[in-house]
Amino acid sequence: MKIFLTLSVLGFFLTQSPVVAASKADLMTNSAIGQMPSRSFPSSGSEYWIEREQAVSFAKTDDWEKAIPLLEKLTAQYKDDGDTWFLLGHGYIKTNQCNKAIPALERTLELGTIMSGIRSASSPSNDIMIKIAQCHSKMEEKDQALGWIQKALDFRWDDRKSLIGSSDFQHISQDDMYKELSGESQLENLSRDERWMTDLNFLADEILRLHVNPYHHSSKEDLALHIDEIKTEIPHLTDQQIVFRMMALLASLGNGHNFIVPTHSRNGSFSKLPIQLYWFNDGIFIVGADTEYKHIIGKKLLSVANQPIDAVMKKIATVNARDNEMQQYWLGPYYLALPEVLEGLGIVESASKIPLTLEEKSGAKEQVVLSGKPFNFTGFPTLPAPNNRDNLLYLRNKKENYWLEYNSGNDLLYLQFNRVAQDKSHPLDVFSKKITAFTKGRKVKNLVLDLRHNSGGNGSIIPPLTRSLIHFSENSEENNLFVIIGRNTFSAAHLLLADLDRLTDIIIVGEPSGSRPNHLGEAGWFKLPYSGVWGIISSQYHQASKAEDHRIWIAPHVPVTLSSEEYFAGEDPAINHIIRIISHKKEKAATPSPGSVSTAGF
């Protein structure tokens, strides 16, 4: 019977592999030493470049019939460019030539690459290792396939759960070692407690394998002690209580990209109260509710089970993994609406009934008792539009990944970027070109980028938008680039913010951001073998600013927060302040400075 490695056994293997260091931020998948540069160069560098551009263009449109011959010629002429080897290897895979793909991708790993914009192609080294493993599997070379999977996992490949049931590994999917590598544990002869112990061991192993620096917030000894405590508690806990303990374990790692999504699992799923909460500058209010509780929307939450809300939120913070305290304002209300979290923290005696004390605008108080319901997790909630105010600009099209609207009265192009993800019918690079064409054609002077609802996504697609915004900022000294940020400006959206902050003279409006310029991030996905509980672990260090940049967030130049009164009245103070600044700049430009001399008539 297969079992997962215990921490002590895993520790042995870690000492024998490159992932032993407490911090793996500088862990390389190759060595620069020994890779001698070519002494043979193309006869014409410019002709080589022309053909390289053609090959990349063909690759981006999946025209491999034209791309592959060019790439074969390019890699024969010049052997030191990892990008061309990567495209060639990917092209061979797309055309079912695995025997040729393997050496091309192995050469890519030796050199390294950072290609982006290629459909169905991911260039991180551990992803390339998985591509090589897939090729070996299709060629029915089991040992080589398993070896490359193991190597990818050693280098923190972050999609281990996708191995389960993968058609790319159908030739080896029934192999016991493959099942162990994929996390598909054999649990038939284990008791309930032993199965949960398997999950806990798997999670502990994944923390050590994936996290870029698991001991940056707490010591190795404290982490091991925390795990041992959960092990002793398992026989006395319900499934949901075990998941809560795991949630607290991930929170103890001390940064934002570590959390459990407590739903969609086979065992231990949480429930959710039929309300949505938001933390305004004057308290926590109910901003959404199921039909039967619509009447309590707009009321302020004073206490839970007679515990004052301030005390409750301090307890919530212990399970809310975060980069800074702005994430507590963002995600604290989410955890507050999970009854199993409230029970786990000792705020309520039972997750079945949650008593809340509410306050109306008049000051009248009432108590309601709510029960949790099963829920589907589709992402952390963002602020909904208040009743009958669906036309509010900043809350109107939150389901759209990105969209824009021009206000001619204020010469203001409003661009809302809600999710770092592609619209298949309107890719981000096309959208970015649209922004540039529009601002040039209309001679737009004011552009507002709204990142308030954007908690990240696929950061590799951002460069075209970054270039477009930089172009606007630098095109004229009269141009003003405003960026509205908030508590859940996070992850890939925060990388965009950090780049604009570093490279342009943006005017930042709103609250402090939900992350740090330099931070531990990335989504290292895991799925526990017994319960099916899933979540993420930080697997990369992102240095989006100078090495010595230790800011805890990116602070606004125009500090603006939101009150419950402004929200329910349908006001957007951030946009209002931007319009005032635009008016101020116009007035200032129209007023001659003291001592200036008119050049009229010269």
Side-chain angles (χ1 to χ4, degrees):
M1 177 174 56
K2 295 287 181 181
I3 60 173
F4 285 94
L5 299 175
T6 64
L7 281 176
S8 59
V9 175
L10 180 71
F12 168 79
F13 284 107
L14 287 176
T15 60
Q16 310 304 310
S17 74
V19 296
V20 64
S23 174
K24 294 165 275 188
D26 58 352
L27 183 66
M28 298 292 178
T29 56
N30 57 12
S31 173
I33 307 304
Q35 291 292 334
M36 301 303 295
S38 299
R39 301 182 68 85
S40 175
F41 278 60
S43 58
S44 171
S46 57
E47 288 298 322
Y48 174 90
W49 177 83
I50 291 170
E51 292 189 330
R52 189 185 190 281
E53 288 294 286
Q54 289 175 338
V56 172
S57 177
F58 290 141
K60 286 184 175 180
T61 58
D62 274 344
D63 191 346
W64 296 107
E65 184 178 344
K66 294 178 181 177
I68 287 175
L70 282 173
L71 291 164
E72 289 174 334
K73 180 180 178 182
L74 293 167
T75 52
Q77 287 181 318
Y78 183 59
K79 302 182 184 301
D80 290 356
D81 185 355
D83 292 352
T84 52
W85 284 107
F86 171 71
L87 292 177
L88 180 58
H90 182 63
Y92 283 144
I93 288 176
K94 296 292 286 185
T95 54
N96 298 311
Q97 301 181 72
C98 272
N99 60 321
K100 293 183 178 181
I102 290 171
L105 293 176
E106 288 179 339
R107 180 60 177 159
T108 304
L109 288 176
E110 292 173 351
L111 297 169
T113 183
I114 195 167
M115 283 293 294
S116 62
I118 309 300
R119 295 176 188 174
S120 68
S122 181
S123 64
S125 297
N126 45 31
D127 283 347
I128 293 173
M129 293 172 189
I130 291 295
K131 290 180 187 296
I132 295 173
Q134 290 168 351
C135 281
H136 281 298
S137 176
K138 289 176 182 178
M139 296 167 66
E140 300 189 36
E141 297 170 348
K142 183 185 75 172
D143 290 344
Q144 294 94 322
L146 294 173
W148 278 102
I149 293 171
Q150 181 65 70
K151 190 171 183 178
L153 293 174
D154 287 343
F155 283 104
R156 292 177 292 141
W157 185 54
D158 59 9
D159 198 18
R160 185 177 194 167
K161 63 182 177 63
S162 70
L163 293 174
I164 300 174
S166 171
S167 60
D168 292 316
F169 291 103
Q170 57 184 331
H171 294 299
I172 61 173
S173 62
Q174 298 308 308
D175 183 85
D176 287 347
M177 179 57 71
Y178 179 81
K179 289 182 178 181
E180 187 166 332
L181 291 174
S182 69
E184 188 179 6
S185 183
Q186 298 177 24
L187 303 164
E188 291 81 3
N189 299 318
L190 299 182
S191 68
R192 176 261 189 190
D193 292 353
E194 288 171 330
R195 294 180 182 193
W196 274 113
M197 192 73 72
T198 300
D199 271 8
L200 179 59
N201 284 336
F202 185 88
L203 178 59
D205 291 351
E206 287 294 84
I207 289 172
L208 295 186
R209 183 182 75 84
L210 280 170
H211 201 291
V212 65
N213 189 356
Y215 309 124
H216 77 97
H217 187 257
S218 60
S219 69
K220 181 178 181 180
E221 293 73 22
D222 286 343
L223 182 61
L225 179 62
H226 198 157
I227 293 166
D228 287 341
E229 288 174 348
I230 300 174
K231 287 181 178 179
T232 62
E233 293 174 340
I234 282 176
H236 314 292
L237 300 174
T238 66
D239 290 353
Q240 285 76 16
Q241 288 169 338
I242 294 171
V243 174
F244 172 79
R245 297 298 195 278
M246 291 178 175
M247 182 183 288
L249 174 65
L250 280 184
S252 73
L253 299 178
N255 60 286
H257 280 77
N258 295 288
F259 56 79
I260 278 176
V261 179
T263 185
H264 296 320
S265 57
R266 290 184 293 271
N267 300 285
S269 286
F270 286 12
S271 61
K272 181 181 174 297
L273 296 179
I275 57 173
Q276 182 179 340
L277 300 161
Y278 191 85
W279 202 336
F280 296 99
N281 63 17
D282 52 343
I284 296 176
F285 286 75
I286 297 172
V287 294
D290 289 358
T291 303
E292 60 187 305
Y293 295 106
K294 291 287 186 184
H295 62 283
I296 62 174
I297 291 176
K299 296 183 180 182
K300 184 177 183 179
L301 179 59
L302 298 181
S303 66
V304 180
N306 295 321
Q307 292 195 41
I309 194 62
D310 289 346
V312 169
M313 296 314 295
K314 285 181 181 179
K315 292 180 179 180
I316 292 286
T318 63
V319 294
N320 182 11
R322 55 201 186 278
D323 290 342
N324 60 38
E325 293 305 327
M326 291 307 298
Q327 274 188 262
Q328 174 70 349
Y329 285 103
W330 170 32
L331 296 181
Y334 162 77
Y335 288 107
L336 179 57
L338 302 179
E340 288 77 11
V341 169
L342 299 176
E343 180 189 77
L345 293 170
I347 295 168
V348 297
E349 292 183 3
S350 170
S352 61
K353 301 292 182 182
I354 309 299
L356 307 177
T357 303
L358 307 176
E359 182 181 58
E360 297 202 35
K361 191 173 182 180
S362 65
K365 297 177 178 59
E366 69 170 304
Q367 188 172 82
V368 297
V369 178
L370 302 180
S371 297
K373 298 180 178 180
F375 72 106
N376 293 321
F377 183 85
T378 56
F380 290 112
T382 57
L383 188 61
N387 286 340
N388 303 318
R389 295 187 182 275
D390 293 336
N391 63 334
L392 287 176
L393 185 68
Y394 79 112
L395 299 174
R396 185 194 305 161
N397 297 321
K398 291 190 305 159
K399 292 183 179 180
E400 301 290 332
N401 289 339
Y402 35 82
W403 60 278
L404 54 79
E405 181 172 297
Y406 181 61
N407 182 324
S408 58
N410 294 298
D411 184 28
L412 185 155
L413 181 63
Y414 176 82
L415 161 62
Q416 192 172 84
F417 191 23
N418 295 324
R419 204 168 295 103
V420 188
Q422 295 282 20
D423 278 345
K424 292 183 180 179
S425 61
H426 198 197
L428 188 60
D429 58 342
V430 175
F431 182 77
S432 301
K433 291 175 182 176
K434 179 180 177 180
I435 295 169
T436 299
F438 189 93
T439 54
K440 274 186 174 182
R442 293 287 188 100
K443 293 184 170 57
V444 175
K445 292 292 184 287
N446 303 291
L447 194 158
V448 175
L449 171 66
D450 194 341
L451 296 176
R452 278 177 286 186
H453 308 306
N454 197 326
S455 56
N458 179 7
S460 68
I461 71 172
I462 291 178
L465 178 60
T466 307
R467 289 193 295 268
S468 177
L469 295 171
I470 291 174
H471 181 271
F472 170 80
S473 178
E474 297 300 310
N475 191 48
S476 170
E477 290 185 359
E478 297 178 1
N479 287 358
N480 301 304
L481 176 57
F482 299 89
V483 181
I484 310 178
I485 64 172
R487 59 195 69 182
N488 60 321
T489 304
F490 183 68
S491 197
H494 202 275
L495 295 178
L496 171 61
L497 169 65
D499 279 344
L500 295 175
D501 182 40
R502 180 169 53 91
L503 298 172
T504 73
D505 293 324
I506 56 174
I507 302 171
I508 303 174
V509 181
E511 303 173 319
S513 62
S515 190
R516 307 175 67 122
N518 298 333
H519 64 277
L520 306 181
E522 209 68 22
W525 293 100
F526 67 86
K527 183 178 181 180
L528 303 184
Y530 164 57
S531 63
V533 167
W534 59 286
I536 66 170
I537 296 170
S538 301
S539 60
Q540 298 291 344
Y541 173 68
H542 288 283
Q543 183 176 316
S545 185
K546 298 177 182 179
E548 63 272 22
D549 187 347
H550 299 292
R551 284 178 292 173
I552 61 174
W553 48 50
I554 293 180
H557 307 140
V558 186
V560 181
T561 186
L562 183 65
S563 70
S564 62
E565 185 175 351
E566 289 169 323
Y567 166 72
F568 288 111
E571 297 178 16
D572 181 2
I575 284 289
N576 292 343
H577 284 289
I578 288 172
I579 291 173
R580 289 174 194 165
I581 290 171
I582 292 172
S583 297
H584 170 75
K585 283 177 169 284
K586 286 181 179 179
E587 292 171 4
K588 186 176 179 181
T591 305
S593 59
S596 63
V597 178
S598 172
T599 58
F602 274 59

